[in-house]
Amino acid sequence: MSALTLAASLLIGVFLGVLGGGGSMLTVPILVYLAGQDTQQAIATSLFVVGVTGLAGLISHARAGRVQWRTGTLFGLSGMAGAYASGRVAAYIPDTVLLIAFALMMLATAAAMLRGPRKTPRQVHGELPLHRLLLQGLLVGAVTGILGAGGGFLIVPALALLAGLPMGIAVGTSLLVIAMNSFAGLAGHLSGAHLDRSLALAVTAAAVLGSLIGGRFAGHIPQHILRTGFGWFVVAMSVFVLSRQLGPVVLTAVPAIAAGILLQRRRARRTESPSRAMAPAPEPSHH
């Protein structure tokens, strides 16, 4: 294994520790383009690496009180069912189709994260209705299992934008869900893919070290900076994967992608401004 692969694996953990996601988005391209694995094998290995690393990163977030256990457990249990089932199906899907779907899902998620919530998030103690929580978990788990990704970069938006958790709580809670979904998806993939144990353990060790480093910084980064950085990182990774699968011509679409996302953000801000302007002014003091 090259030193570059190990260095990139360390970065996987840092992103998981700081963002509660991004690890799986790095793991699959690293294993395919740096370690030379085929897509099916890379997805299975990614699920193992991200699952173990997610558990390691969860520790520091739990100690800091940034995990909502009920929401995470219910979301994760329903996600495990979807992840296992889709992991079994993934063996019948061509590698190129998997990677293109992987990249397109990243772009859609990045746009949602950069746009931000469309309404004021609920308080952290507010709980999403059980049926919605289970359905969302099932859908996210299905994507996680079939692509070996979609853990954090789908779970964090789901918890932050749909379940109404503050970004910091969503990041910590997502690590619990990531671990549960990843191991269930791995079980589904092992029926049709071989796991290179030595490579998986080496990448995991580097990623766990990175997650411990990243977890120490997670609570000190403002939420809007965390969301924006996360979103643009996802855009960059999706463009990279698409360019490798469809050719450099994809790069010509980068300005249009960036302009579209920035336009969405501007519209979201304009929508928020009138509501702020309509807020009642405080009564003048007569003292």
Side-chain angles (χ1 to χ4, degrees):
M1 181 191 303
S2 68
L4 182 59
T5 301
L6 284 177
S9 301
L10 184 70
L11 193 60
I12 291 171
V14 171
F15 272 95
L16 269 171
V18 173
L19 299 173
S24 55
M25 288 182 294
L26 279 172
T27 310
V28 173
I30 286 169
L31 294 172
V32 171
Y33 301 121
L34 295 183
Q37 291 193 324
D38 62 60
T39 303
Q40 300 285 354
Q41 190 178 24
I43 287 174
T45 306
S46 169
L47 288 167
F48 176 81
V49 173
V50 175
V52 175
T53 308
L55 284 179
L58 177 64
I59 296 172
S60 61
H61 286 273
R63 287 177 177 172
R66 294 191 296 269
V67 179
Q68 190 174 92
W69 294 99
R70 175 191 179 274
T71 299
T73 301
L74 291 175
F75 200 97
L77 286 174
S78 60
M80 289 177 75
Y84 177 79
S86 62
R88 297 294 298 266
V89 172
Y92 304 100
I93 302 176
D95 289 359
T96 299
V97 173
L98 284 174
L99 286 172
I100 291 174
F102 171 90
L104 292 177
M105 184 62 72
M106 285 197 294
L107 271 179
T109 304
M113 289 301 293
L114 289 169
R115 182 179 61 238
R118 294 185 178 181
K119 59 183 178 181
T120 303
R122 302 177 184 87
Q123 296 297 318
V124 64
H125 298 295
E127 294 178 346
L128 199 66
L130 181 61
H131 69 281
R132 289 184 58 192
L133 192 66
L134 295 177
L135 178 59
Q136 291 169 11
L138 183 68
L139 295 175
V140 171
V143 175
T144 302
I146 203 166
L147 296 178
F153 83 89
L154 282 177
I155 295 166
V156 172
L159 293 174
L161 304 180
L162 301 177
L165 300 186
M167 189 66 176
I169 303 295
V171 167
T173 304
S174 76
L175 291 171
L176 172 64
V177 183
I178 285 169
M180 296 172 72
N181 284 358
S182 295
F183 291 129
L186 175 62
H189 274 277
L190 287 180
S191 62
H194 169 69
L195 185 66
D196 185 335
R197 294 183 182 179
S198 60
L199 177 63
L201 290 174
V203 171
T204 300
V208 166
L209 177 60
S211 74
L212 296 177
I213 296 171
R216 296 183 67 87
F217 293 97
H220 304 287
I221 303 175
Q223 292 189 19
H224 70 281
I225 294 177
L226 198 60
R227 182 183 293 112
T228 301
F230 184 86
W232 286 116
F233 166 76
V234 175
V235 170
M237 288 303 301
S238 63
V239 170
F240 171 77
V241 174
L242 284 173
S243 67
R244 293 301 299 260
Q245 296 304 308
L246 301 177
V249 68
V250 172
L251 298 178
T252 61
V254 171
I257 292 171
I261 292 174
L262 289 172
L263 182 59
Q264 275 192 328
R265 295 188 70 189
R266 183 174 297 179
R267 286 176 177 172
R269 288 173 182 171
R270 287 178 179 175
T271 302
E272 291 176 1
S273 297
S275 61
R276 291 177 183 172
M278 292 172 64
E283 291 290 336
S285 174
H286 298 289
H287 295 290

